[in-house]
Every structure is written in structure tokens, then in C-alpha cells.
Amino acid sequence: MTVITENDVIESVADALQYISYYHPMDYIRALGEAYEAEQGPAAKDAIAQILTNSRMCAEGHRPLCQDTGIVNVFVKWGQNCRLDSTQSLQQVVDEGVRRAYNHPDNKLRASILADPAFTRRNTRDNTPCVLSVEMVPGNRVEIDVAAKGGGSENKSKFKMMNPSDNIVDWVIEQIPSMGAGWCPPGMLGIGIGGTAEHCVKLAKQSLMDPIDMGQLKQRGAQNDIEQLRIDIFDAVNAMGVGAQGLGGLATVLDVKILDAPCHAAGKPVAMIPNCAATRHAHFTLDGSGPAYLEPPSLDDYPQVTWQPDSAAKRVDLNALTAEEVASWNHGDRLLLSGKMLTGRDAAHKRINDMLEAGEELPVEFKGRAIYYVGPVDPVMGEVVGPAGPTTATRMDKFTEMMLDLGLLAMIGKAERGHDAVNVISRFKVAYLMATGGAAYLVSRAIKGAEVVAFEDLGMEAIYEFEVQDMPVTVAVDAAGNNVHTLAPAEWRQRIAAGEFEPAE
């Protein structure tokens, strides 16, 4: 009998979660580096450069790759000859590892988990509980996969109880437009096929733990039906021209993973879960000899890519922003923002709405301002603010008209806006700007000052005033309603179909 102490589990889980907060898996970095070299879309190439530069900065500084440090998923294969030496449940033991990781004083991670999800939505403050899956297997070792899954990609999960004759590739292609860019491509697609509804979704999530090997697979050729399906989905998705961050280009996915299980004859359950640009997962083994600690990658193995501000980018003084200047921006323009901006996301927008309905005076003046949709990580070691990348903008769509009525001139977030929000933006003659998802630490270096100015009780969802210098953004929706997330992928889809470029390998 192998004895696994609770401390072995706690220390190993805590170490793994800290590790994946600032180290990308090297297979992802290699694949992203190859995608950067092959990319022909200027905007997409710039976005990939930001993600790669951010990755190296996080590896060097041991700070989170993304401000959304995720909901923790833990997959355990427990050897049947092993015994857990603890008076607590395995869930409690693993959660203690999560708690220690997320409250680490040198690299505090953002607490994003809410209890009572349908009603009060109270933050648990330590990112517990994790989502724990346990399988009993023969042997005297414990194998553990740890992942941290951001909300932007998790929210794009898809599931369908298909008829047996339905085509899986066709279904995936139908889903891609509705996923938009909120899952921060380029990333991976995890596909689960079969089982029952809940098991199918779990298969999709587990498939994302496997290393990226699409390049090797395409080079040697498929050897079974599942491998051929992976290639077919990979090629079909990249031919859609969505590209990095939805800006149009060759690389939308870097790999497609599939796990399957037997299912009932009457159906064919299929689930799809994307992994974002902040791909975070690690594997370790416990054998009773003590905690497992992961070896850091060599910085020499990172692609030699360093993002620099576009010399052609327009410099914008937010402190003197006017409606006339905003109207002069065109979709696809690159801007460097300097000056003061406000922040606010889901909870802040809802509270503003409630206050307006109650006839209460707002604590902040929005007229003539820009607002950044962000929930930053807490600062450490003298930082002004922790990693502070954008959150998915579509969640604020229903509040857009309300906020523009208050006089906002610009909004900054991640990914596309919905059709109705684009119409409102056009009607008010303002702009929506897009920052790169997956480059949170890089973005935070542009933030020179940060002060909470309202709703401090909301924690990371409070309203801040940021002082920024040369913060890079792209005009995603201009004052005329031209939408880069619609126009750019359509252009690249046509160019790829015309044979002008080969889809990403």
C-alpha cells in the first residue's frame, strides 16, 4: 500500500497552479511560434506577437498570463493500491491546494469563483471549490492533471444530442460564428463524442489535456477515423478565416483534440470546448515519496518574438478626447491610448443600471470618457496593478445604450460586439476598441496609475480609474458601425477559398 499524505497533494496542487499561471505549456508556445511565422494577416500577426511577448514576460516575472486566472479543474487517476492519509475528503484536500496557490503572497491570483450562483453570487475569495473528477485505476501511483479554465473560453462551450446520421464537422462549423472571438483564438478545440450528456462534456474537457501534435499528425497522415476527423475539423475551422482574436487570418485553431466513448444507439452526443490563448494545464505523479514539483521550461526555448508598438499607430490623448476625434477613427486602425480611463464590467454595469432606475446619483461621471472592461489581478511587489487584460465585451452589450446615454465616447474590451450593440454604437457615433486577450501582463505595463473610484465592495469588479501610457488597441467598431470582427474574417475566408493562402498547418 502506497501512502499519499494530504500535504503531498496540497503542495503539489498549489505548485502546479502557480506554475501554470505563468508558464504556458511548451507545446503551445512552439505551435504559436510557428503560427506567428506563417501568419499573413497584419492585425492577427500583431496580436500573436503580443501573446508571445506576454508569455515570456510572465515566465520571467512569475505573474499571470491572463487576469482571468480561471476555474480550477482537477482530473485524478487514483491508484487502487494508494491510501490518502487524511481526515479530510479528497475534495477538501485539493481545495486547500487551490486556496494556497491563489493566495500566494508573491503571485496572488484572481478569485473568480462565486457561491450561490443563481442569486447572491458571493465571491468565495480563494477560488475554491475546484471541479474535481476522480477515477479509480489499478496501481500504486496517483496521476493528476490540473487545469485553470478562463470564463471567456468556458462560456463558448457547445453541446448537442445529435442524431446518429448527423455530420460532426458540419456541426462544428455551424458553431464557430456564434463563438466569435470571446474564447481568444488561436487556441485548441476539445471534442467529446458519445457517452451520456454529462460524460460527453467531460470528455471534451479532458481531451484538452493532451499535447499539441497537429503538425506531426498532418505530416505522417491519419491512421484511424478519429485522427482523420481531427484533421478535417482543423482544416475546416482555419479555412473560415477567423484568425487570432477574430481579426482575420490563417490561424484560428492550433489543434483539435477528440475523446470518444460508447453511447446509446438512439443518439450521438457531441460536445466542444475551446481552450484560449491562456492555455493552462499540467500533469504530475505522486508515488508516496513526497510532493511533486514541476521543472520550469527554458526561456531559450521561447520564440524570439518581441512585440513593439506599431509605428503607424495613432496616438490618442484620453484626457482631451472629443467626439470629432472618435469619429475620425476607422475600423482596423491601431491606437496607442494615453491618459485616464475608467474601468467597469458586469457587476458594475448592473449596479449603475439599478442606481439609475432608483433615481440615485452615480458616483462617477462618464461623459467624455472611455471605459475599459476589465477585472484586474491584485498588485504585488510594488506594482500599480496586476495583470489587467480585457474581458469579453458582449456581456456588456445590454448596458451599452445606457452607458452611451451617460456620455461615454469609447469602450474597450475583448472580442466582438453583438449586432444590436453595433447598431447602438453607430447611432451614438462612438467607438468600440479591442485589446488583445491573453496579453494581460503586457497590457498592465501600460498602466501607470490605478485608483478605485467606486463600488470598492465589488473587489476586482470595482470601478477603477487607470492612468495609461501607450496602451495598444485596435478599432473594432468605428463610429459608422463598420465592424472588423465581421469584415476581416469574411475577407480572409474569401482569400483562403480562392487559394491565395494555405490554411494554417
Side-chain angles (χ1 to χ4, degrees):
M1 180 68 67
T2 299
V3 176
I4 307 294
T5 70
E6 66 174 32
N7 187 65
D8 291 350
V9 177
I10 291 168
E11 284 294 314
S12 302
V13 168
D15 175 74
L17 289 171
Q18 276 286 308
Y19 181 99
I20 65 175
S21 76
Y22 44 75
Y23 290 135
H24 268 123
M26 286 310 299
D27 58 294
Y28 177 81
I29 288 297
R30 285 190 292 269
L32 191 60
E34 292 167 3
Y36 174 81
E37 294 299 329
E39 186 55 69
Q40 301 296 311
K45 197 175 185 77
D46 183 81
I48 295 173
Q50 289 190 44
I51 295 168
L52 285 170
T53 302
N54 181 77
S55 182
R56 175 182 281 274
M57 289 172 63
C58 293
E60 292 172 339
H62 285 194
R63 293 296 274 142
L65 293 159
C66 179
Q67 80 288 339
D68 182 351
T69 50
I71 184 169
V72 176
N73 294 252
V74 180
F75 297 94
V76 178
K77 290 186 177 180
W78 193 276
Q80 289 162 190
N81 292 333
C82 296
R83 180 177 67 85
L84 177 62
D85 183 13
S86 176
T87 58
Q88 302 183 89
S89 69
L90 183 58
Q91 178 77 55
Q92 291 172 315
V93 171
V94 174
D95 280 345
E96 179 58 28
V98 175
R99 185 173 295 112
R100 292 188 188 182
Y102 277 72
N103 287 322
H104 194 292
D106 294 334
N107 184 39
K108 188 172 173 62
L109 307 180
R110 198 182 81 181
S112 303
I113 303 308
L114 308 181
D116 193 24
F119 301 103
T120 58
R121 295 178 65 81
R122 292 173 284 102
N123 197 304
T124 64
R125 302 293 181 183
D126 57 12
N127 229 56
T128 65
C130 72
V131 179
L132 178 65
S133 299
V134 183
E135 179 184 357
M136 300 298 292
V137 297
N140 56 3
R141 302 195 309 173
V142 175
E143 304 279 345
I144 299 180
D145 285 319
V146 172
K149 197 69 164 53
S153 59
E154 191 73 3
N155 286 350
K156 303 300 182 179
S157 301
K158 305 292 182 180
F159 172 76
K160 184 177 182 180
M161 294 297 287
M162 282 189 174
N163 292 319
S165 61
D166 289 345
N167 186 284
I168 293 174
V169 178
D170 289 347
W171 176 76
V172 170
I173 296 307
E174 289 172 5
Q175 304 313 306
I176 297 299
S178 67
M179 289 168 61
W183 59 284
C184 289
M188 299 165 61
L189 293 179
I191 309 286
I193 306 172
T196 53
E198 81 287 355
H199 186 55
C200 181
V201 176
K202 182 179 174 182
L203 289 172
K205 181 66 68 68
Q206 282 185 288
S207 74
L208 293 169
M209 302 300 107
D210 291 340
I212 293 174
D213 65 351
M214 180 56 70
Q216 300 93 302
L217 172 58
K218 295 191 75 173
Q219 189 172 28
R220 69 167 168 79
Q223 296 178 351
N224 54 55
D225 290 340
I226 288 291
E227 290 186 347
Q228 187 59 55
L229 181 58
R230 287 177 57 199
I231 293 172
D232 291 345
I233 293 173
F234 177 86
D235 288 344
V237 170
N238 282 326
M240 297 182 76
V242 174
Q245 304 292 303
L247 294 170
L250 300 178
T252 303
V253 291
L254 302 178
D255 205 342
V256 176
K257 297 298 184 184
I258 299 176
L259 289 177
D260 66 350
C263 69
H264 193 283
K268 185 165 67 177
V270 179
M272 177 168 64
I273 301 179
N275 236 3
C276 64
T279 294
R280 294 169 295 211
H281 60 85
H283 173 85
F284 60 86
T285 301
L286 299 176
D287 59 9
S289 62
Y293 298 106
L294 299 171
E295 288 291 326
S298 171
L299 291 176
D300 293 337
D301 293 335
Y302 280 68
Q304 298 304 306
V305 176
T306 302
W307 177 83
Q308 296 291 339
D310 187 344
S311 60
K314 299 179 181 180
R315 295 186 179 274
V316 175
D317 181 1
L318 294 174
N319 298 334
L321 191 62
T322 65
E324 291 73 22
E325 181 176 10
V326 172
S328 73
W329 301 337
N330 295 314
H331 72 285
D333 283 353
R334 300 212 188 108
L335 311 179
L336 294 172
L337 306 180
S338 296
K340 293 184 177 181
M341 65 172 64
L342 297 170
T343 77
R345 46 177 287 165
D346 310 63
H349 280 76
K350 184 179 185 305
R351 185 169 292 183
I352 291 167
N353 181 75
D354 293 345
M355 292 180 72
L356 289 173
E357 289 183 348
E360 299 173 7
E361 184 178 352
L362 297 180
V364 179
E365 173 63 57
F366 292 97
K367 186 174 182 180
R369 306 295 301 270
I371 192 169
Y372 181 27
Y373 303 146
V374 63
V377 176
D378 288 346
V380 299
M381 297 180 288
E383 292 177 336
V384 168
V385 70
T391 198
T392 306
T394 49
R395 299 202 310 275
M396 270 53 74
D397 279 2
K398 65 181 179 180
F399 301 111
T400 298
E401 185 161 7
M402 173 192 76
M403 296 301 294
L404 298 186
D405 269 331
L406 295 173
L408 274 182
L409 290 178
M411 298 156 286
I412 307 156
K414 180 183 78 175
E416 73 285 344
R417 303 305 296 261
H419 177 74
D420 291 344
V422 171
N423 287 340
V424 172
I425 290 167
S426 175
R427 177 155 51 86
F428 278 84
K429 304 300 180 186
V430 297
Y432 165 61
L433 315 175
M434 192 207 78
T436 299
Y441 197 36
L442 176 66
V443 171
S444 73
R445 310 325 277 167
I447 301 170
K448 306 305 180 182
E451 178 187 2
V452 175
V453 293
F455 310 154
E456 185 173 6
D457 62 297
L458 295 180
M460 62 94 173
E461 295 205 62
I463 295 179
Y464 289 76
E465 184 173 68
F466 283 172
E467 176 89 32
V468 300
Q469 181 179 332
D470 290 342
M471 175 178 169
V473 296
T474 299
V475 179
V477 181
D478 63 26
N482 298 306
N483 184 356
V484 74
H485 285 107
T486 300
L487 298 172
E491 175 192 343
W492 280 87
R493 184 163 55 251
Q494 291 176 353
R495 295 177 71 177
I496 293 170
E500 186 175 342
F501 302 106
E502 290 293 326
E505 288 296 327

